[in-house]
Amino acid sequence: SSLAPTNDMLIGQRMEHLLVLLNSANENVAEVAAHIIARCCETPQHQHVVANTGAMQNLVALLSESARRREAALDGLSSLVKNNPEISLRLVALDQGKALDSIIKFVKDKAPRTRFLACMCLANISRSCPCSYPHEWEIRASMLAVVVKLIEESGQVGEDSPMVLADIVANSEELQRAAYKFDAIVKLCGLLRRGSLPAKQLEGVLMALAELCSRLEDSRRQLLDQDADKTVRCLCPVLK
């Protein structure tokens, strides 16, 4: 639960017990343990405590197992590296880059949630520590194509994809231009015109539009072309 006392999980031998559960042969137990680890990474201090117990290596080991364990591991790794340059670099260097290669491979997985979580993890690494691994621009470009499609997915994947899109294109005019060619703005405005969106999804849509229009006149013009009056009316309740 998001209301659970995170600090309590980091005291004494509780993290060691959690790692034992992470290695459980019971898939449900290991999955829950990975998700708990993800929720324990709310601050840089928490992230360092978790990483120093060896949780990163245990989560990476789960990437080669079942789909459910793999997705839980990607969730944990994403939280572990978010806004943390030092831990991001540790993951990039782990096993001489083999752990990172595994995550990159899942960007093209057949399961939408796996693709989303892999993109989120890589986006968190790039946002925390830009230019930290070879061919990063090309990989972010391939992620961009995936995430633009995931925007239209139902459920949590679709709700969370706009924020990941914002992270991917942040501070990169080339990637913003690529997103323009993928009609990312058209799809985001389509979400706004649907009416009521969950607060988290709406925030992600607005952040993505802000990033996409931050540097390119073509993108700003495309936004205005998307029935601008309807889009503005959709935003009015939020801006009041």
Side-chain angles (χ1 to χ4, degrees):
S1 167
S2 60
L3 300 178
T6 300
N7 287 331
D8 289 352
M9 294 302 304
L10 305 176
I11 296 173
Q13 295 182 323
R14 291 180 181 177
M15 277 303 304
E16 285 77 5
H17 292 158
L18 196 55
L19 294 185
V20 171
L21 297 178
L22 193 63
N23 295 322
S24 171
N26 185 310
E27 184 172 83
N28 291 334
V29 171
E31 180 185 2
V32 170
H35 286 308
I36 291 173
I37 287 174
R39 304 291 82 77
C40 288
C41 296
E42 294 179 349
T43 69
Q45 293 77 15
H46 293 164
Q47 291 168 323
H48 282 286
V49 170
V50 172
N52 290 338
T53 65
M56 181 185 292
Q57 292 85 339
N58 284 267
L59 290 169
V60 168
L62 291 182
L63 294 176
S64 61
E65 299 195 18
S66 69
R68 285 174 55 184
R69 290 193 186 200
R70 181 166 63 240
E71 290 178 355
L74 287 168
D75 181 36
L77 290 168
S78 296
S79 298
L80 193 57
V81 301
K82 187 174 183 179
N83 299 323
N84 196 313
E86 181 183 336
I87 295 181
S88 293
L89 287 175
R90 285 167 64 175
L91 179 55
V92 168
L94 188 64
D95 296 333
Q96 298 180 319
K98 292 180 181 177
L100 183 68
D101 288 342
S102 295
I103 297 170
I104 292 170
K105 178 184 68 175
F106 293 127
V107 170
K108 297 183 178 180
D109 193 83
K110 64 181 180 179
R113 180 160 173 77
T114 299
R115 295 198 303 274
F116 165 75
L117 289 168
C119 288
M120 181 170 67
C121 187
L122 293 168
N124 285 350
I125 292 172
S126 295
R127 195 72 186 253
S128 298
C129 197
C131 305
S132 57
Y133 57 89
H135 310 295
E136 182 179 336
W137 191 93
E138 292 86 349
I139 292 165
R140 286 173 70 186
S142 67
M143 290 160 52
L144 179 61
V146 170
V147 172
V148 169
K149 291 181 180 178
L150 290 176
I151 286 172
E152 298 177 317
E153 285 284 328
S154 59
Q156 186 177 357
V157 169
E159 290 180 13
D160 293 345
S161 290
M163 189 64 79
V164 175
L165 173 60
D167 286 339
I168 292 172
V169 302
N171 303 316
S172 173
E173 184 172 330
E174 292 85 357
L175 288 171
Q176 291 169 14
R177 194 176 301 280
Y180 167 79
K181 294 178 180 178
F182 288 138
D183 284 335
I185 290 173
V186 174
K187 293 183 179 182
L188 290 168
C189 287
L191 290 178
L192 288 176
R193 287 195 295 271
R194 289 182 187 177
S196 178
L197 294 176
K200 187 176 181 181
Q201 186 178 19
L202 179 58
E203 180 185 1
V205 169
L206 297 178
M207 287 292 294
L209 287 172
E211 289 288 356
L212 290 167
C213 296
S214 63
R215 302 189 179 200
L216 296 178
E217 183 62 32
D218 285 345
S219 295
R220 291 190 282 270
R221 188 178 299 111
Q222 189 179 50
L223 176 60
L224 292 174
D225 287 343
Q226 299 307 305
D227 291 330
D229 59 327
K230 294 181 181 178
T231 303
V232 169
R233 285 201 299 271
C234 291
L235 293 176
C236 282
V238 181
L239 300 175
K240 287 181 180 179

